[in-house]
Amino acid sequence: MRRLIAGLTTGAFLLVATACGSSGGDSSSGSTSSGGITTVKVGLIPIVDVAPLYLGEKKGFFEKQGLKLSPTLASGGAAIVPAVASGQYQFGFSNVFSLMVAQTNGVSLKAISNGAASTGVQGKDFGATVVKKDSPIKTMKDLEGKKVAVNTLKNINELAVRESVTKAGGDPDKVKFVELPFDQMPAALDKGQVDAAMAVEPALTTMKDQGAQEIASPLVDMASKLTVAMYFTSTAYAQKNPEIVKKFQKATAESLAYADAHPDEVRKIVTTYTQVPASVLAKVTLPKWPAEANRASIETQAKLGEQFGFFKKSPDLDALLP
């Protein structure tokens, strides 16, 4: 299950980000068949968020643009970011905060299409902070002095919890953050090893099924309709293959719109590339898939990242974003 749900924050690539440097690597546009279809390799994570690309390929949206996707599944950005930066993959999927951190560590990337967004609805988002059913913790302020599990330290989920605690009138510096994979959070919470957990789907549904109580939706607290993830390429590839990038953007936008309007098809296609049980998928809260990224929400993440000291230097959003 870890591979299925560990990828949303994709913070693990920070361990290899500096090794990637700013190399654009091989800028090959991908292989072209005799029929004029260009095959592009896309690094994806086996989670619900990337369902639109699978739907778009099935519905012919990419073929209409002269593209054929060759998905490569990875557990997270530790594999995807370096592969895209070096030219092994033409495109990849990552949360946007991790892309900002990678850029500030010298990795030359370009976000090109929206990936996934928060629902923007408190109590009805795909990410939430939960506590045990009998916990005395009722608000985010109550997390002061408590252990809170996040899947990656100094990344989007810790950032969201910090801002949520701040908005509740608490001091986020008094929260004890513990790094723990999503799939280990239910047991850790149940055994009292942590006092709360910042979980995302499908781990969130699993925890609620075990009696966990939601106290806040931190991704919603951080920004209205938060852009969580985006599809990206290397800066070198974007500069040398602008037409292919445009085609990918058009097909992705159509795929996002289709997925947003057909949730039942989303849940069905997720079973084709993950091992998440259909019984769980039937209950998970899906992310939103707007065609365009919410720039204001990304600027908020950058501002908060600087405020909480998550960056070595300020990210250049004009260079990173479309």
Side-chain angles (χ1 to χ4, degrees):
M1 182 65 75
R2 182 184 301 179
R3 293 185 67 243
L4 305 181
I5 56 184
L8 181 64
T9 59
T10 61
F13 77 82
L14 296 181
L15 298 175
V16 296
T18 53
C20 297
S22 59
S23 171
D26 177 12
S27 60
S28 171
S29 63
S31 60
T32 304
S33 70
S34 58
I37 299 294
T38 300
T39 299
V40 291
K41 294 181 180 179
V42 187
L44 300 175
I45 303 165
I47 53 176
V48 175
D49 308 52
V50 300
L53 252 64
Y54 285 90
L55 278 177
E57 181 76 355
K58 180 180 179 181
K59 295 294 179 181
F61 301 153
F62 287 90
E63 183 179 8
K64 184 169 64 176
Q65 295 297 329
L67 299 178
K68 177 177 175 58
L69 300 184
S70 176
T72 300
L73 294 178
S75 61
I80 296 176
V81 170
V84 171
S86 67
Q88 182 181 347
Y89 304 157
Q90 281 74 56
F91 302 100
F93 175 90
S94 173
N95 93 51
V96 69
F97 188 80
S98 287
L99 294 180
M100 284 188 267
V101 177
Q103 184 200 59
T104 63
N105 279 280
V107 184
S108 189
L109 303 173
K110 183 71 175 180
I112 56 173
S113 300
N114 195 28
S118 161
T119 65
V121 181
Q122 190 69 232
K124 296 181 179 179
D125 197 27
F126 72 92
T129 298
V130 295
V131 298
K132 290 183 67 173
K133 185 177 182 178
D134 57 352
S135 173
I137 299 172
K138 304 300 180 184
T139 70
M140 294 297 284
K141 186 179 187 302
D142 295 336
L143 293 179
E144 290 183 347
K146 302 297 191 297
K147 292 182 179 179
V148 180
V150 292
N151 72 316
T152 307
L153 296 174
K154 304 297 182 183
N155 209 275
I156 189 170
N157 281 333
E158 179 181 335
L159 189 74
V161 170
R162 282 179 171 273
E163 177 64 1
S164 190
V165 169
T166 300
K167 286 190 172 182
D171 182 353
D173 288 335
K174 294 182 179 179
V175 177
K176 301 173 184 177
F177 290 98
V178 178
E179 185 168 285
L180 198 65
F182 288 125
D183 64 320
Q184 294 181 22
M185 290 181 184
L189 185 65
D190 186 59
K191 294 176 181 178
Q193 295 171 344
V194 295
D195 302 296
M198 176 61 199
V200 300
E201 296 290 12
L204 179 57
T205 290
T206 298
M207 297 178 81
K208 286 182 176 179
D209 283 349
Q210 295 178 355
Q213 300 294 307
E214 179 175 336
I215 61 171
S217 302
L219 296 176
V220 179
D221 287 336
M222 189 154 58
S224 176
K225 298 181 180 179
L226 181 78
T227 291
V228 175
M230 297 186 73
Y231 292 96
F232 68 100
T233 187
S234 68
T235 301
Y237 185 86
Q239 292 173 343
K240 296 177 182 179
N241 301 278
E243 291 305 313
I244 292 179
V245 170
K246 288 180 181 178
K247 291 177 180 179
F248 185 88
Q249 289 172 320
K250 289 180 180 179
T252 299
E254 188 171 4
S255 300
L256 292 170
Y258 187 87
D260 224 29
H262 298 83
D264 290 341
E265 291 188 46
V266 167
R267 297 177 196 276
K268 184 176 180 180
I269 204 162
V270 171
T271 64
T272 67
Y273 64 91
T274 77
Q275 296 176 8
V276 178
S279 59
V280 174
L281 286 169
K283 294 185 287 185
V284 302
T285 299
L286 298 177
K288 299 298 292 181
W289 289 292
E292 300 294 333
N294 181 346
R295 169 99 185 205
S297 76
I298 297 173
E299 291 173 346
T300 295
Q301 292 181 63
K303 179 180 178 180
L304 291 174
E306 292 187 62
Q307 178 182 322
F308 292 122
F310 286 11
F311 299 131
K312 293 181 178 179
K313 61 180 180 179
S314 300
D316 184 349
L317 297 186
D318 288 335
L320 179 64
L321 300 178

